[in-house]
Amino acid sequence: MKWNPKAFFITCLLAIFSFSASAQVKISAADIGGTVSGANGPEAGVWVIAETNDLPTKFAKIVVTDDKGRFLLPELPSGNYQVWARGYGLIDSVKQNAKPGQLVNIKAVQAPTAKAAAQYYPGMYWYSMINVPKASEFPGTGDKGNGIPEVMQKQYYWVDTLKNSCQSCHAFGVRGVREVPELFTKKANGDSELAWAYRTQAGQAMANMALGLGRMGPERTLSILADWTDRIAKGEVPFAKPSRPQGIERNAVYTSWNWSEAKYYLHDAISTDKRNPTLNANGLIYGSPEESTDLVPTLDPKTNVVSQIKMPYLDPKNTSSLELPKAESAYWGDEKIWDGHTSIHNLIWDQKENLWFAAKIRPSSNPDFCKKGSDHPSAKVVPLNESARQLTMYDTKTKEWSMINTCFTTHHVYFARDKNDTLWTSAGSPASGVVGWLNTKMYLETKDEQKSQGWTPLIIDTNGNGKRDEYVEANQALDPTKDKRVMAAFYGMQPSPADDSIWGQSMDVGFSRINQPGYLIRLVPGSDPSNTSLAEIYQSPEGTFGSRGVDVDSKGVAWTVLASGQIASFDRNKCKGPLNGPTTAEGKHCPEGWTLYRLPGPQFKNVKDPKGSADGAYYIWVDLHNTLGLGKDVPIASSSGGEALIAVVNGKLVTLRIPYPLGFFTKNVDGRIDDINGGWKGRAVWTTSGTRNNFHSGDGGKELPPKIFKVQIRPNPLAN
């Protein structure tokens, strides 16, 4: 080979730069630092991942390089680590061995093709390629027409269903979804639509998938999905590209631990009491595994030890998810991997270090005290025959369980800031038409589950006299002398820290399958909530849809996320017109109260509304106490397609993408302060992988278990 002095000179310069840059990274004995450089010099805004198997469970830490390509991985437990770089425009670098206290120079590897580069994009960039039916095809004309059911009145019905029924369970654009497994293509003899039919029948969630497909139009939807994956198989890549982390996004530190088991999945995780984030400082983190198991996972972040606690249930007739119908899985064959009786959905701390769970303790038929003819005060107003989930409580000190037989269905649970420590609950679906609560002070003192609980319908003060009166039902016309019931219930729910109101959010058509819009709802309980509570409903602005999740900041401003692709706030104080009376029955009376923040990323090509993104988010959480470090009252959305936590900081979006494992998908966030005087090191938000299909990830495959994540913001990318 002929010696090339120019190439030699450039190589020497790069080597000198690399050495000098890494020398500028000051590390302690617990850190790994260095530089990432490529053919054109330093690689700014790329992630550096350090992972070890030397702890009781697999542990990883991720940071972002600064504008000179430098990185510092802080506070690593002793062990042998593999360290590598991942970033947009790159493929993963060669993994290097390192220990804390060492400097490492990483050689970045440019992606050889656009397809190779796109493998690291968030899933939303891939699923935005789906050819959503055009707006002109709605209302649907059914099986004998365009294959879209007539119940699909507008394009947004279809999009809302895709996001809030399909994507609410798994990250839709990840590799395990955008590539059809060989098992199904073989069974279908190469027929892509049939292959999709097989894959949507696989596993124990087939009934849910069939329900969603039926709503969207099975044959038409399967053809749309087959077209999408066929184009990808032929080499088509996303039409948009993501940007690397910028500014404060480069200050993020992500720590992860494996917990639970590869066959199971998690819905939520909890670390503390939202009202008092110093509770349980440095203590165990707990998770909720929903349908997959009765085993509640725990993590001790101090010792890196994971464990599981088995939740009991009241009635031995409680059915298991083993009994769900299923067909062959491309990953698990005919094995039934879920075995849960308790459907543990959501969990929350109280101030006495008890954990409260929305969980199923019995079959759905309610006891007599819930039904018509009962003398229970709430049953006299609205008798309830069934509830899908009830409540359980775990005393973390005595390790004892209590089971609370509620008449109302529970879904999310949050505490009010009142003398009774009232636990308010959502129901998920709007079908029940009620909101329930438990006076936990009374329950803990008396163990009387009947007297301690109550529920109310949602009644709007449409006659405008400021109090609750006799009301007409939701399907009846307005009566100027009466109030009006709205047939809704809370999905997201949060007591306001600013007053005694309870904010909720009712799902739109894509999740509820009820032909009414989604609402943001403000409930004021009054002195006797079953009989005195009044509700106000608010629809999001014209052209938006699909609210999901709600939280409230310290000023009383409500925040939600919209399936139309926005984070939204609603400030009731901005409303100009009356907040009761007949004009408020539809919830369109305060458009001025809304502010929209478009989620990052492209829109579906056939969706012409310019306001939103193809991305959507599962939930939203407001950081009341600055536990993350981005400020007080910062809302944080759980981006389903962006594989990130997205915060609104001073009106601007901060995207905290967790790049490893690929396909990060979470449903909620929780913030804790472990050391109030510890600066950034004493604060963090916690979240868990929430997909039902961890094995769809591009990292780890079938053996990948759920992970628990700790997210922190440090002062700069090299702080330790």
Side-chain angles (χ1 to χ4, degrees):
M1 180 182 294
K2 185 178 179 180
W3 182 65
N4 186 330
K6 183 178 179 182
F8 178 76
F9 177 70
I10 292 173
T11 302
C12 290
L13 279 180
L14 286 174
I16 292 169
F17 172 83
S18 179
F19 174 80
S20 62
S22 63
Q24 295 173 30
V25 181
K26 296 180 180 180
I27 62 173
S28 74
D31 308 329
I32 294 175
T35 61
V36 180
S37 57
N40 298 314
E43 291 284 358
V46 302
W47 298 283
V48 178
I49 305 161
E51 185 174 59
T52 183
N53 286 306
D54 288 354
L55 303 176
T57 190
K58 182 174 279 189
F59 173 95
K61 188 158 284 194
I62 306 167
V63 296
V64 190
T65 59
D66 70 2
D67 58 358
K68 296 180 180 179
R70 300 174 298 178
F71 68 90
L72 188 148
L73 290 148
E75 297 191 298
L76 294 168
S78 180
N80 298 293
Y81 288 82
Q82 288 192 312
V83 183
W84 73 99
R86 169 174 288 183
Y88 300 139
L90 308 176
I91 61 173
D92 281 359
S93 68
V94 174
K95 294 182 179 180
Q96 300 184 45
N97 296 323
K99 293 182 178 181
Q102 292 182 345
L103 291 170
V104 179
N105 292 323
I106 299 175
K107 184 177 180 181
V109 182
Q110 295 296 313
T113 64
K115 183 176 181 180
Q119 301 307 315
Y120 299 93
Y121 293 177
M124 180 254 304
Y125 286 83
W126 288 94
Y127 78 69
S128 63
M129 297 162 57
I130 293 173
N131 284 322
V132 170
K134 295 179 180 179
S136 59
E137 296 188 71
F138 296 88
T141 54
D143 292 339
K144 295 181 180 180
N146 61 9
I148 301 171
E150 295 176 7
V151 295
M152 288 276 144
Q153 293 292 302
K154 298 180 180 179
Q155 187 188 51
Y156 91 78
Y157 284 39
W158 201 96
V159 175
D160 189 42
T161 306
L162 180 72
K163 291 187 179 183
N164 275 326
S165 283
C166 302
Q167 179 134 337
S168 62
C169 290
H170 51 80
F172 208 81
V174 296
R175 188 169 183 176
V177 177
R178 66 179 183 259
E179 296 179 2
V180 181
E182 186 179 7
L183 171 71
F184 303 127
T185 57
K186 280 187 174 181
K187 287 176 71 170
N189 293 318
D191 183 326
S192 298
E193 292 183 33
L194 185 57
W196 262 96
Y198 281 126
R199 79 182 309 197
T200 53
Q201 294 173 21
Q204 290 161 271
M206 64 177 295
N208 278 345
M209 289 189 282
L211 195 61
L213 280 173
R215 181 78 175 176
M216 299 167 80
E219 290 188 11
R220 180 65 187 278
T221 302
L222 291 174
S223 71
I224 289 170
L225 296 175
D227 167 73
W228 173 55
T229 51
D230 281 351
R231 287 186 283 117
I232 290 171
K234 291 174 183 176
E236 187 173 334
V237 296
F239 55 84
K241 297 179 181 180
S243 300
R244 289 182 177 181
Q246 302 289 330
I248 201 169
E249 296 167 352
R250 296 182 180 177
N251 297 355
V253 179
Y254 309 106
T255 309
S256 73
W257 296 259
N258 284 5
W259 69 338
S260 191
E261 300 176 29
K263 295 180 181 180
Y264 305 148
Y265 70 93
L266 274 295
H267 194 282
D268 280 342
I270 199 76
S271 66
T272 189
D273 179 2
K274 184 175 174 67
R275 302 163 297 176
N276 174 22
T278 60
L279 181 88
N280 190 41
N282 296 298
L284 297 183
I285 316 297
Y286 294 80
S288 56
E290 204 180 22
E291 310 297 340
S292 63
T293 180
D294 301 323
L295 299 173
V296 174
T298 67
L299 165 74
D300 185 337
K302 294 183 297 182
T303 63
N304 306 298
V305 171
V306 295
S307 187
Q308 298 183 111
I309 305 167
K310 188 169 184 177
M311 179 182 284
Y313 44 94
L314 187 65
D315 192 329
K317 296 179 182 178
N318 228 14
T319 57
S320 167
S321 47
L322 283 174
E323 299 177 37
L324 293 170
K326 73 170 292 295
E328 185 180 12
S329 164
Y331 301 90
W332 303 97
D334 290 322
E335 182 181 1
K336 293 186 175 183
I337 61 173
W338 299 344
D339 182 15
H341 302 77
T342 47
S343 187
I344 309 167
H345 188 267
N346 183 237
L347 68 170
I348 199 75
W349 283 92
D350 69 13
Q351 298 184 63
K352 297 180 176 64
E353 298 188 40
N354 298 311
L355 273 174
W356 298 79
F357 296 80
K360 184 179 179 181
I361 64 173
R362 57 165 171 83
S364 59
S365 181
N366 275 343
D368 288 343
F369 78 86
C370 308
K371 299 177 180 178
K372 188 175 182 179
S374 166
D375 62 358
H376 190 284
S378 299
K380 290 180 178 179
V381 180
V382 181
L384 297 174
N385 293 325
E386 293 185 338
S387 60
R389 284 192 193 92
Q390 298 78 40
L391 292 169
T392 61
M393 188 200 78
Y394 179 66
D395 186 323
T396 62
K397 295 177 181 176
T398 66
K399 315 302 181 189
E400 294 179 349
W401 289 92
S402 299
M403 287 167 276
I404 302 102
N405 209 341
T406 62
C407 301
F408 47 86
T409 291
T410 65
H411 198 67
H412 292 103
V413 290
Y414 282 101
F415 279 101
R417 296 159 176 81
D418 61 11
K419 64 181 181 180
N420 294 323
D421 222 15
T422 305
L423 183 67
W424 287 86
T425 75
S426 71
S429 166
S432 72
V434 302
V435 175
W437 64 87
L438 183 76
N439 179 333
T440 63
K441 181 177 184 291
M442 179 186 293
Y443 175 77
L444 291 172
E445 290 173 352
T446 67
K447 296 295 182 179
D448 189 328
E449 62 187 9
Q450 295 187 33
K451 289 185 179 179
S452 302
Q453 68 177 282
W455 60 95
T456 181
L458 294 171
I459 309 300
I460 305 170
D461 181 21
T462 50
N463 66 10
N465 67 358
K467 62 186 181 70
R468 183 161 137 186
D469 304 299
E470 187 179 349
Y471 56 86
V472 297
E473 290 293 338
N475 60 356
Q476 296 176 322
L478 282 175
D479 183 327
T481 66
K482 297 179 180 180
D483 292 332
K484 170 83 170 177
R485 183 180 183 185
V486 57
M487 196 61 186
F490 293 169
Y491 177 88
M493 176 272 309
Q494 188 65 242
S496 172
D499 56 29
D500 61 352
S501 64
I502 313 298
W503 284 86
Q505 159 271 319
S506 186
M507 296 299 285
D508 215 322
V509 294
F511 183 92
S512 71
R513 303 179 184 95
I514 295 173
N515 193 21
Q516 68 179 23
Y519 301 117
L520 207 57
I521 305 171
R522 182 177 186 263
L523 180 71
V524 178
S527 58
D528 176 17
S530 298
N531 296 286
T532 60
S533 64
L534 281 172
E536 300 165 2
I537 63 171
Y538 299 96
Q539 289 192 45
S540 62
E542 189 72 26
T544 66
F545 57 87
S547 62
R548 184 172 193 134
V550 68
D551 205 348
V552 187
D553 67 25
S554 63
K555 300 178 181 66
V557 176
W559 291 82
T560 189
V561 284
L562 302 174
S564 45
Q566 301 94 0
I567 298 171
S569 68
F570 180 77
D571 188 346
R572 182 174 176 268
N573 291 324
K574 293 181 178 180
C575 297
K576 297 176 181 178
L579 300 179
N580 60 3
T583 60
T584 67
E586 290 186 86
K588 295 181 178 181
H589 53 291
C590 185
E592 62 274 13
W594 293 87
T595 303
L596 302 178
Y597 305 86
R598 185 187 187 278
L599 288 167
Q603 180 59 281
F604 295 110
K605 286 188 174 180
N606 286 347
V607 177
K608 301 305 181 184
D609 189 341
K611 297 189 184 77
S613 160
D615 195 11
Y618 189 93
Y619 216 80
I620 196 163
W621 178 85
V622 174
D623 192 355
L624 294 174
H625 304 280
N626 191 26
T627 58
L628 179 56
L630 291 176
K632 180 182 176 181
D633 281 338
V634 167
I636 303 173
S638 307
S639 165
S640 302
E643 302 177 16
L645 303 179
I646 300 179
V648 182
V649 182
N650 298 322
K652 305 292 184 182
L653 298 189
V654 173
T655 299
L656 302 174
R657 189 197 172 191
I658 297 179
Y660 177 75
L662 290 169
F664 170 76
F665 177 98
T666 189
K667 294 177 177 174
N668 208 348
V669 177
D670 177 47
R672 186 171 78 185
I673 300 174
D674 289 328
D675 181 357
I676 200 164
N677 298 314
W680 73 269
K681 295 181 182 180
R683 297 169 179 263
V685 298
W686 293 84
T687 190
T688 184
S689 46
T691 173
R692 292 192 176 199
N693 313 95
N694 291 289
F695 40 86
H696 280 168
S697 167
D699 295 303
K702 178 180 173 180
E703 302 306 319
L704 182 72
K707 289 180 179 284
I708 179 77
F709 297 90
K710 181 181 183 180
V711 182
Q712 297 171 285
I713 298 292
R714 51 185 172 175
N716 62 73
L718 300 180
N720 57 0

